[in-house]
């Protein structure tokens, strides 16, 4: 036995598939009807679609065990809200608020009288909003400090400026400008939600502002925007499937009226549709959340279904047309189902492992996708196989593809040429007994394949492969990280409009950050206090921090002690005078957690600056956490409620690497078991790494950032590389040819056209996403295009050349060698 062969599973599985194909060919109606009935039953789960939708931004798109969530829990426990002393900086959640940005028209000064009048008039309208039959307005629902509403100080200054000259400095002018915050207590939560709804209605209907452009935003805007567009992608899905059907039908058209495979193409697409209905419906029945990212799985299933269809049709066309349908189906299943099984098994295992992701949105996506892939595989070998058999019976009786009436195989002498075009069919290759090959297959056999195996062409391809890797690696070194939550909304949404103006006009100042001393600390010990203050100075020294905007209860307390000639370097004195200090400065009392004579935790505040992009957010978070970790005086934490979303940066890269590693390992194991040659299995695995590097590199060159959304899409699409590599490698290894170059040509002859059909039809199908107003779908198109294009290049160019160089031998060749050895003995 050839020690290099690993066909312990291949042979029994091939026999199993051969028997299954025979059964499908003999009893096609059973295999056709049962999947239809099952899909009809499971599709009932879609009645729960609205109920199962869950696009909670924090819940779905942040790491479930992110460090900032742990820090928030610490803040909530040690620094609970004091609703009577509202402070924006001291919030551990975003709260309820409404905000607007006013920009003067025609580049006028915002302080011009007419512009100011518009702003003040709009502000008055906002303050006059009431809910609950006019009983509750802003004054009743506002967040309060010292018994009064926390107002927007900038608007107060502008109101004053209508009649008085004043100068404004930003961002500090007595107080920092704030949105209109509402009371966030449970007793007023519903009324606050209604007020925000009325605020949105007022701003969207307001047309009285002749001198200003207004963009508005509320604490509910992002969530409302995403929730309202969860199913907006369905029209694109319909267009994508229509394009795929059109391209598939065109590629399956034949001039022969019997051999025409148009209906086969239609039912191949329908098989993928049934898989989506069954997989999604089943999980909706069970209660799995439906996240907006799950919609991308529809396009994945489209690609898988098309590839499966074209592979099966290709192998069907290589069977003898005069054989019984059951025998033709047995041969088709024996040759086609094995590579389809390889891709299905690897895809399902990959997505089941993805359920362990840090991101709940990824977990939901992987569940829906893996379930749908299982159904896609089942329906391919039952529903689609059954229709292929029924179509085979039509061909066997020489019936017309449209009318199903028997037609002659040769044109009668008394009939015109037009009759021959419309009403004659059933021709085949008399030398092989199989259907005539498609023109494109002839191209691969007679022109492309022989050209590819020329020594100088192989040398050029190896050179281009090295250049491809070099460019890809260069791109990998320049991958950017960054996640903008507004990317989940439509380009023309209010969220994006507001965000663009906010970044344009106010990017200089980012969020205020808590620096938390998270353990008991002797603040009265002058030496240790100086060490702690040195750590705080390190934060101020960061160039993403404004050292002049700083709030510290400890520094203020020390100034208070100095002004009152108090000695605060003694524990008893330090603790004794704290209550008096807090009476004068009640806000600072929220920054100290003290019980008896122990200060369990405290916090100070620094101001981030120049945070104008996701990459800057990543840099800032790393810098702040690194600085806190370097402090030896005390255990420090840093927190702002936005850090909950920044946490993804810590896990996106590691998750992507882990996912790719899992895909690669799973692919190697499965291909080792199912492709009867370990060298070929290894090369298939290497091709996944090559495509991964290429896609990652060109993502960077195409300005695609690596975030939780692109990570999902990237991981999904990389699975497609398995299809091209596995199909070509399996065809190469199974070829009856003995010369490696001939084996490469034979593999391309059989699979070149199906790969081209599947790749191009899928790319054209998803190309509709390139014009989507959602960045999520455009990103999917870009990554999907890269994967499909680079995967096709590997399958049709790199893999055949490399396999021919490594001279993998087929099972037939190995058997001949063994026979020779036995004869010699």
């Amino acid at each position: 036995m050839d020690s290099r062969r690993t066909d312990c599973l291949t042979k029994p599985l091939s026999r199993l598939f051969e028997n299954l194909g025979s059964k499908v060919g003999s009893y096609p109606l059973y295999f056709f009807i049962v999947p239809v009935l099952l899909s009809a039953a499971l599709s009932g789960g879609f009645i729960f679609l609205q109920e199962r939708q869950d696009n909670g931004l924090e819940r779905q798109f942040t790491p479930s065990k992110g460090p900032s969530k742990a820090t928030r829990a610490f803040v909530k426990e040690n620094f609970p809200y004091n609703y009577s002393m509202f402070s924006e900086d001291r919030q551990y959640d975003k709260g309820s608020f409404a905000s607007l940005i006013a920009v003067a028209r025609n580049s006028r000064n915002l302080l011009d009288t007419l512009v100011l009048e518009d702003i003040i008039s709009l502000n008055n309208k906002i303050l006059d909003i009431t809910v609950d039959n006019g009983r509750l307005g802003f004054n009743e629902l506002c967040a309060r400090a010292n018994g009064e509403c926390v107002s927007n100080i900038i608007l107060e200054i502008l109101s004053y400026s209508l009649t008085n000259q004043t100068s404004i400095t930003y961002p500090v002018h007595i107080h920092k400008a704030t949105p209109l915050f509402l009371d966030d207590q449970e007793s007023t939560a519903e009324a606050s939600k209604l007020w925000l709804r009325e605020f949105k209605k007022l701003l969207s209907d307001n047309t009285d502002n002749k001198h200003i452009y207004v963009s508005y935003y509320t604490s509910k805007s992002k969530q409302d925007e995403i929730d309202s567009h969860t199913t907006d992608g369905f029209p694109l899905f319909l267009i994508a499937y229509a394009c795929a059907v059109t391209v598939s039908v065109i590629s399956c058209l034949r001039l022969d009226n019997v051999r025409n495979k148009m209906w086969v193409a239609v039912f191949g697409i329908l098989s993928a549709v049934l898989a989506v209905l069954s997989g999604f419906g089943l999980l909706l029945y069970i209660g799995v959340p439906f996240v907006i990212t799950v919609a991308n799985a529809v396009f994945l299933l489209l690609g898988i279904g098309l590839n499966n269809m074209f592979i099966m049709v290709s192998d069907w066309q290589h069977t003898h047309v005069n054989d019984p349908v059951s025998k033709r189906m047995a041969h088709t299943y024996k040759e086609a189902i094995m590579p389809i099984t390889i891709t299905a098994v690897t895809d399902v295992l990959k997505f089941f492992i993805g359920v362990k992701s840090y991101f709940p949105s990824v977990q939901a996506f992987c569940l829906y996708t893996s379930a749908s892939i299982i159904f896609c595989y089942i329906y391919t070998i039952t529903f689609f196989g059954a229709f292929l058999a029924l179509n085979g019976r039509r061909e066997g009786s020489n019936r017309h593809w449209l009318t199903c009436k028997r037609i002659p195989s040769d044109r009668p002498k008394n009939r015109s040429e037009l009759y021959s075009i419309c009403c004659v069919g059933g021709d085949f290759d008399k030398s092989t007994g199989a259907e005539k090959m498609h023109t494109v297959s002839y191209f691969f056999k007679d022109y492309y394949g022989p050209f590819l195996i020329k020594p100088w062409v192989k040398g050029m391809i190896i050179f281009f492969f090295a250049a491809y890797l070099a460019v890809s690696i260069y791109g990998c070194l320049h991958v950017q990280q960054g996640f903008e939550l507004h990317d989940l909304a439509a380009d023309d949404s209010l969220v994006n409009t507001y965000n663009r103006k906010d970044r344009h006009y106010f990017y200089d100042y980012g969020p205020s950050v808590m620096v938390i001393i998270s353990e008991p600390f002797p603040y009265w010990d002058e030496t240790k206090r100086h060490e702690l203050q040195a750590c705080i100075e390190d934060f101020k020294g960061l160039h993403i921090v404004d050292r002049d905007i700083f709030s510290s209860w400890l520094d203020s307390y020390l100034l208070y002690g100095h002004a009152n000639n108090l000695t605060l370097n003694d524990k008893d004195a330090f603790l004794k005078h704290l209550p008096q200090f807090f009476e004068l400065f009640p806000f600072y009392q929220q920054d100290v957690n003290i019980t008896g004579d122990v200060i369990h935790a405290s916090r100070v505040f620094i101001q981030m600056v120049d945070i104008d992009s996701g990459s800057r957010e990543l840099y800032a978070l790393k810098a702040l956490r690194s600085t806190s970790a370097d402090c030896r005086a005390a255990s420090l934490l840093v927190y702002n409620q936005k850090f909950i979303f920044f946490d993804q940066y810590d896990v996106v890269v590691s998750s992507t690497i882990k996912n790719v590693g899992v895909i690669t390992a799973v692919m190697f194991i499965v291909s080792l078991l199912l492709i009867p040659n370990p060298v070929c299995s290894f090369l298939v695995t290497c091709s996944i790494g090559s495509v991964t590097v290429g896609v990652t590199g060109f993502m960077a060159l195409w300005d695609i950032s690596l975030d939780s959304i692109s990570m999902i899409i990237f991981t999904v699409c990389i699975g497609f590389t398995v299809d091209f590599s596995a199909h070509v490698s399996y065809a190469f290894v199974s070829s009856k040819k003995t010369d490696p170059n001939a084996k490469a040509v034979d593999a391309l002859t059989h699979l070149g056209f199906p790969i081209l059909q599947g790749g191009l039809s899928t790319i054209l199908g998803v190309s509709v996403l390139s014009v989507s107003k959602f960045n999520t779908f455009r990103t999917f198109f870009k990554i999907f295009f890269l994967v499909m294009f680079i995967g096709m290049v590997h399958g049709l160019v790199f893999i055949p050349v490399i396999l021919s160089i490594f001279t993998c031998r087929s099972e037939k060749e190995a058997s001949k060698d063994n026979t020779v050895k036995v004869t010699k003995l």
Side-chain angles (χ1 to χ4, degrees), residues 27 190 252 350 394 419 431 445 518 576 619 638 640 671 780:
Y27 310 101
E190 189 60 32
C252 288
K350 172 188 66 180
R394 178 191 61 78
Y419 179 88
S431 62
K445 178 183 179 182
S518 60
K576 176 183 177 182
Y619 172 81
V638 290
N640 178 277
S671 60
F780 182 89

Side-chain angles (χ1 to χ4, degrees), residues 231 242 303 385 467 471 477 520 543 590 593 611 682 728-729 747 784:
T231 57
V471 173
L477 299 176
H543 66 269
Q590 300 180 65
N593 179 2
I611 309 299
F682 176 74
V728 173
S729 298
F784 201 88

Side-chain angles (χ1 to χ4, degrees), residues 557 568 570-581:
Y557 186 39
L568 299 179
D570 174 75
K571 179 178 180 179
D572 292 335
F574 188 95
L575 297 174
K576 176 183 177 182
H577 297 292
L578 263 181
Q580 302 168 13
F581 170 73

Side-chain angles (χ1 to χ4, degrees), residues 26 169 225 228 243 279 352 359 403 408 441 449 452 460 549 560 659 683 694 750 818:
S26 300
T169 58
E225 184 73 20
S228 65
C243 291
F352 270 133
F359 297 92
T403 65
S441 295
L452 195 68
M460 291 294 295
I549 304 177
Y560 167 81
N659 290 339
L683 291 178
H750 283 78
N818 291 335

Side-chain angles (χ1 to χ4, degrees), residues 362-604:
V362 178
Q363 296 171 1
F365 177 86
C366 289
L367 282 172
Y368 275 94
T369 306
S370 56
S372 299
I373 290 175
I374 291 173
F375 280 107
C376 187
Y377 177 75
I378 294 172
Y379 290 168
T380 295
I381 62 178
T382 55
F383 174 80
F384 177 70
F387 184 81
L388 190 61
L390 291 172
N391 189 73
R393 289 186 178 184
R394 178 191 61 78
E395 292 183 9
S397 57
N398 222 68
R399 294 179 182 273
H400 196 280
W401 68 272
L402 183 60
T403 65
C404 286
K405 291 185 176 181
R406 292 181 184 273
I407 59 176
S409 55
D410 296 308
R411 177 166 65 97
K413 294 181 180 181
N414 60 340
R415 293 292 187 172
S416 66
E417 186 67 29
L418 181 61
Y419 179 88
S420 177
I421 295 173
C422 299
C423 303
V424 174
D427 194 14
F428 61 95
D429 189 333
K430 303 300 189 297
S431 62
T432 63
E435 294 183 29
K436 289 184 176 180
M437 285 194 299
H438 195 280
T439 304
V440 179
S441 295
Y442 275 117
F443 168 77
F444 277 102
K445 178 183 179 182
D446 297 333
Y447 298 99
Y448 179 75
F451 173 78
L452 195 68
I453 61 175
K454 293 180 182 295
W456 68 270
V457 175
K458 288 184 179 181
M460 291 294 295
I461 289 173
I462 296 299
F463 171 79
F464 283 122
F465 181 68
Y468 152 80
L469 286 179
V471 173
S472 301
I473 292 171
Y474 171 81
C476 290
L477 299 176
H478 293 81
V479 171
Q480 297 293 318
Q481 288 190 67
F483 178 53
E484 305 287 358
L485 285 175
H486 58 266
D487 282 344
L488 293 170
D491 294 338
D492 57 355
S493 69
L494 299 173
V495 171
N496 272 315
T497 302
Y498 180 91
N499 185 76
R500 283 192 292 268
K501 291 186 177 180
D502 186 47
R503 283 281 171 88
H504 179 71
Y505 294 107
F506 305 110
Y507 77 91
D508 287 348
Y509 287 86
S512 177
V513 177
M514 303 177 193
V515 179
I516 305 163
I517 298 91
S518 60
E519 60 184 0
F521 185 84
Y523 298 92
W524 46 83
D525 187 316
E526 185 174 14
T527 301
K528 293 186 177 181
R529 187 171 65 232
H530 285 165
E531 292 176 357
L532 176 62
Q533 290 175 319
C535 290
I536 303 301
E537 287 299 315
D538 289 339
F539 282 102
K540 293 182 181 181
L542 297 173
H543 66 269
I544 47 95
V545 173
D546 189 326
R547 65 168 44 253
D548 296 325
I549 304 177
F550 175 69
S551 175
S552 168
W553 72 273
L554 181 58
D555 286 6
S556 297
Y557 186 39
L558 294 176
L559 290 174
Y560 167 81
H562 178 75
N564 292 278
N565 298 316
L566 301 176
T567 302
L568 299 179
N569 293 331
D570 174 75
K571 179 178 180 179
D572 292 335
F574 188 95
L575 297 174
K576 176 183 177 182
H577 297 292
L578 263 181
Q580 302 168 13
F581 170 73
F582 288 148
E583 283 187 23
L584 291 173
F585 306 97
F587 277 103
Y588 285 135
Q589 188 168 3
Q590 300 180 65
D591 299 332
V592 181
N593 179 2
I594 180 171
T595 304
D597 62 350
V598 179
I599 300 178
H600 299 283
S602 73
R603 60 185 174 184
V604 299

Side-chain angles (χ1 to χ4, degrees), residues 36-262:
V36 173
L37 296 177
L38 180 61
S39 296
L42 292 177
S43 63
F46 277 84
I47 64 176
F48 300 104
L49 180 60
Q50 292 295 327
E51 181 182 333
R52 302 286 189 255
Q53 287 183 27
D54 184 359
N55 292 308
L57 293 177
E58 179 183 322
R59 186 169 52 256
Q60 295 294 343
F61 298 99
T62 63
S64 54
K65 297 182 180 179
S68 291
K69 290 183 178 178
T71 304
R72 179 175 61 185
F74 181 89
V75 173
K76 291 174 70 173
E77 180 181 355
N78 287 273
F79 309 106
Y81 274 154
N82 181 348
Y83 289 100
S84 65
M85 295 296 294
F86 176 83
S87 169
E88 180 183 2
D89 292 344
R90 291 171 172 81
Q91 288 186 299
Y92 48 77
D93 286 319
K94 63 183 178 182
S96 297
F97 65 86
S99 179
L100 62 86
I101 296 175
V103 180
R105 295 176 184 267
N106 303 319
S107 302
R108 299 177 65 175
N109 192 325
L110 199 65
L111 299 180
D112 284 354
T113 301
L114 292 176
V115 177
L116 281 177
E117 287 177 349
D118 269 4
I119 295 175
I120 301 305
S121 173
L122 179 59
N123 184 58
N124 291 335
K125 291 179 181 179
I126 293 171
L127 296 180
D128 289 340
I129 294 174
T130 59
V131 297
D132 195 14
N133 297 320
R135 293 191 309 107
L136 301 175
F138 180 75
N139 287 333
E140 289 73 34
L141 298 174
C142 64
R144 296 179 179 275
N146 295 319
E148 296 184 359
C149 286
V150 177
S151 61
N152 188 309
I153 195 66
I154 294 298
L155 286 174
E156 291 182 3
I157 296 169
L158 292 179
S159 299
Y160 180 76
S161 297
L162 282 172
T163 54
N164 301 274
Q165 288 291 101
T166 185
S167 60
I168 302 174
T169 58
Y170 180 81
V172 177
H173 187 102
I174 304 177
H175 294 286
K176 185 180 176 184
T178 65
L180 296 173
F181 278 97
L182 303 179
D183 189 0
D184 208 28
Q185 297 186 72
E186 186 175 346
S187 58
T188 59
E190 189 60 32
S192 295
K193 185 184 296 184
L194 293 175
W195 192 92
L196 290 175
R197 190 177 300 165
E198 291 299 315
F199 169 87
K200 180 179 178 180
K201 182 179 179 181
L202 171 67
L203 270 293
S204 60
D205 295 340
N206 184 59
T207 58
D208 299 335
N209 303 317
K210 298 179 181 180
H211 304 97
I212 56 174
Y213 296 105
V214 177
S215 301
Y216 62 92
Y217 181 79
T218 75
S219 51
K220 306 293 184 183
S221 290
K222 286 180 182 177
Q223 191 62 63
D224 289 345
E225 184 73 20
I226 294 169
D227 288 341
S228 65
H229 292 296
T230 300
T231 57
D232 279 10
F234 285 127
L236 292 175
F237 304 156
L238 296 178
I239 296 173
Y241 271 72
C243 291
V245 168
T246 302
V247 176
S248 300
V249 167
I250 292 174
S251 68
C252 288
L253 283 177
R254 302 291 186 272
L255 295 178
D256 190 299
N257 290 296
V258 172
R259 308 301 175 197
N260 195 331
K261 299 293 191 295
M262 191 198 79

